[in-house]
């Protein structure tokens, strides 16, 4: 395949993967629904930077080396699974508390004086969720090793990085934007406790499964 075909194939596979439900998708849905557009956009930026770093590490072969080292990869799985389980536990705990003490969800709960901190926290949460997800590491190692030839030009590899980052930012930003429109957010905020519960279950299920895999790898 020539470089144009490779880049188009790379973009198509990556975009399909972005739309698949997972931790990244759930994080944007949960937070854009609950805290509004700005939080959703900063989470989108964090996720996209995480994807960019995964892509860069895969292109340079660093991720491949990590994946081929059983103990190191198991430790990464342990950290990633624990983090996702932590997110799930937090979401489910908050859901339980809100069901016991219902409050008014008709307005976003972010206070103005917390807005700056929330930007940083949103970016950090998005970045950590993606970069600590071992499934993302495996995906990009597989994607890059199967599609991007070692002899591909530096310009072609640079364009690939731009495409992966750009598509990620576009998709997650669009998702955050749509979920935070005034009319839709008013409806979604009323159902936010259920959205939190579903997202909590997604985080917990994926996190616990990764955690168990990492323990089995270390023990075995």
């Amino acid at each position: 395949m020539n470089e144009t075909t490779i880049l188009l194939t790379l973009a198509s596979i990556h975009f399909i993967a972005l739309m698949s439900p997972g931790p990244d998708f759930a994080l944007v849905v949960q937070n854009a629904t609950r805290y509004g557009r700005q939080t959703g956009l900063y989470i989108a930026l964090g996720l996209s930077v995480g994807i960019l770093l995964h892509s860069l590490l895969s292109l340079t072969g660093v991720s491949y080396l990590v994946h081929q080292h059983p103990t190191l990869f198991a430790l990464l799985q342990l950290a990633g699974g624990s983090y996702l389980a932590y997110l799930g536990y937090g979401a489910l705990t908050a859901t339980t508390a809100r069901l016991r003490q219902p409050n008014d969800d008709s307005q976003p709960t972010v206070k103005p004086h917390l807005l700056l901190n929330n930007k940083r926290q949103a970016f950090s949460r998005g970045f950590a969720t993606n970069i600590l997800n071992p499934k993302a590491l495996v995906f990009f190692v597989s994607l890059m090793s199967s599609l991007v030839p070692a002899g591909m030009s530096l310009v072609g590899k640079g364009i690939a990085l731009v495409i992966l980052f750009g598509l990620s930012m576009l998709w997650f930003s669009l998702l955050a934007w749509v979920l935070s429109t005034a009319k839709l957010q008013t409806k979604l905020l009323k159902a936010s406790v259920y959205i939190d519960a579903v997202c909590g279950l997604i985080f917990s299920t994926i996190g616990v499964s990764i955690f168990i895999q990492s323990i089995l790898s270390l023990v075995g």
Side-chain angles (χ1 to χ4, degrees):
M1 291 191 292
N2 58 41
E3 290 195 357
T4 301
T5 303
I6 290 172
L7 292 172
L8 288 174
T9 304
L10 189 71
S12 300
I13 294 174
H14 180 55
F15 193 65
I16 292 171
L18 286 172
M19 292 188 289
S20 303
D24 294 353
F25 186 93
L27 192 70
V28 175
V29 171
Q30 180 190 25
N31 289 278
T33 299
R34 184 71 178 159
Y35 300 117
R37 181 169 298 164
Q38 182 171 252
T39 297
L41 291 176
Y42 273 88
I43 284 177
L45 178 60
L47 290 169
S48 301
V49 172
I51 288 171
L52 177 63
L53 184 55
H54 267 304
S55 304
L56 183 60
L57 292 176
S58 296
L59 277 177
T60 55
V62 175
S63 293
Y64 177 77
L65 293 176
V66 172
H67 188 223
Q68 293 302 305
H69 195 292
T71 302
L72 188 57
F73 184 64
L75 290 174
L76 176 63
Q77 284 184 305
L78 188 63
S82 299
Y83 183 72
L84 291 176
Y86 164 75
L87 292 183
Y89 175 77
L92 293 175
T93 301
T95 299
T96 302
R98 290 175 59 203
L99 288 174
R100 289 177 178 173
Q101 297 178 340
N103 60 354
D104 181 12
D105 284 328
S106 61
Q107 296 295 330
T109 58
V110 175
K111 298 178 181 179
H113 71 279
L114 293 178
L115 206 54
L116 181 60
N117 288 336
N118 191 62
K119 291 177 184 178
R120 295 169 182 167
Q121 292 168 3
F123 174 85
S124 299
R125 180 64 58 85
F127 179 76
T129 298
N130 184 269
I131 204 65
L132 289 176
N133 186 357
K135 291 184 180 296
L137 182 146
V138 173
F139 171 76
F140 284 105
V141 166
S142 302
L143 186 66
M144 295 302 186
S145 62
S146 61
L147 278 182
V148 180
M152 190 175 190
S153 69
L154 288 177
V155 173
K157 291 179 178 179
I159 293 174
L161 292 176
V162 171
I163 288 174
L164 293 171
F165 174 81
L167 283 177
S168 304
M169 191 65 197
L170 176 65
W171 168 249
F172 290 129
S173 296
L174 180 62
L175 186 61
W177 187 277
V178 170
L179 291 172
S180 57
T181 54
K183 183 180 292 186
L184 184 58
Q185 191 174 30
T186 299
K187 297 178 180 178
L188 290 175
L189 281 172
K190 294 177 180 178
S192 62
V193 63
Y194 305 108
I195 294 174
D196 284 347
V198 171
C199 292
L201 287 172
I202 291 174
F203 291 135
S204 298
T205 301
I206 296 176
V208 170
S209 66
I210 291 174
F211 183 86
I212 293 173
Q213 287 176 358
S214 65
I215 294 297
L216 293 176
S217 297
L218 289 171
V219 172

